[in-house]
Amino acid sequence: MNLLIKNGRVIDPARNVDTITDVLIVDGKIRSLGKATTDDIPQWDASGKIVAPGFFDIHVHLREPGTEEAETIGSGGNAAVAGGFVAVAAMPNTKPPNDSPSITSYILSEARRSSPALVFPIGAITKEQKGETLSEIGEMVEAGIAGISDDGKPVMDGRLFRRALEYAQLFDIPVIQHCEDLHLSKGGVMHEGATSARLGLKGIPAAAEDTMVSRDLILAEVTHGKYHVAHLSTRRAVEMVRRAKAQGMKITAEVTPHHFTLTDAAVAEYDTNAKMNPPLRSQDDVNALREGILDGTIDAIASDHAPHHANLKMLEFDKAPFGITGLETAVGLALTQLKLPLSRFVAMFSTNPQSIMKVKPWGMFEGSDAHITVLDPARQWKFDVNQSKSKSRNSPFHGWEMKGKAIATIVSGKVVYEDRG
Ligand SMILES: [Zn+2]
């Protein structure tokens, strides 16, 4: 696992690195940064490319165990590295859910066997994600979880969520909330607004997210818990997170590419690839998310990769499941849609996700594990869902033109994905 990456623009925002130089990798670790020459190590000229700490998608559904026809840990791992991610955090809503150390251990051993990407399991907050009693959190931490969440569902019981925030502090793990008041959202299939009224579909009001974020921020404040908001989608929620951070609270938040790219207008043809939860919102919400990305209110971009078998997404809109795939389009969409400084871009995809989750950090420093993403910000390409490494095809971005792409993904010094064009 030796490699010399030459002449790349090396960016590591957590360590104030932004310089054109060489990266020498020996035995899967970064040996040195700086001009290097060597005869006996393979070389790669990265002139004009960005060499960054490997990207980490902290919100991914791998579907194994239980729904392997939609995705496996192996196929999801292949989609991850094809999208530029060296690592993913796997949400626990599998069948059975990851609510015990035995499931956590199974995911980790299967990942070592079949996934080219690193996989960090997220444990369920509550047993079977039923929202009734806390799961075996301490034992799952010993087995290797990087955080807890009941994603797919919120923890409706405020008393239980408060205890989760308190308990998780013992282990320094984040508590990741899918913010949705189930009473307010009940029966809804898309954003509640003019489009849902016109299409005759039941809406999910922005208030379903806002009221849950509001409650949680109060609980995070009184517990000093390590709280993370998954997939922010509304203006008011962004504004509440901004205010809480201004008051000094150590909370974090993520956004998905589809929420800052599309609006509820995408549902117009009853396209089930525009059905997700939280739903695509209004243009005003999209504007607020982009403001939150630019001013640092939002810490991370995560795909919420949610593969579903084609048979399910072919159901009529009311009955189809929520969610789209996203691992292979996240980086391209973010580079194309957002005009972010590159250091901020790398922070949102790599160093911030690493500090949100409980993982051993990697980066562009001597001695780090050589987990690296190489970007070509100028590469023009078109996403073809039929070429996807995922087992599922439920993406609304088929045929989209993008500018900017991950062209190499390196895990422990090994090039696990390469697209030199
Ligand atoms: Zn969710």
Side-chain angles (χ1 to χ4, degrees), residues 59 151-152 178 231:
H59 193 140
D151 186 60
H178 166 119
H231 42 49

Side-chain angles (χ1 to χ4, degrees), residues 343-359:
S343 65
R344 172 94 189 115
F345 181 85
V346 171
M348 293 197 78
F349 271 104
S350 178
T351 46
N352 289 354
Q354 291 181 55
S355 59
I356 292 165
M357 306 302 290
K358 186 175 184 177
V359 297

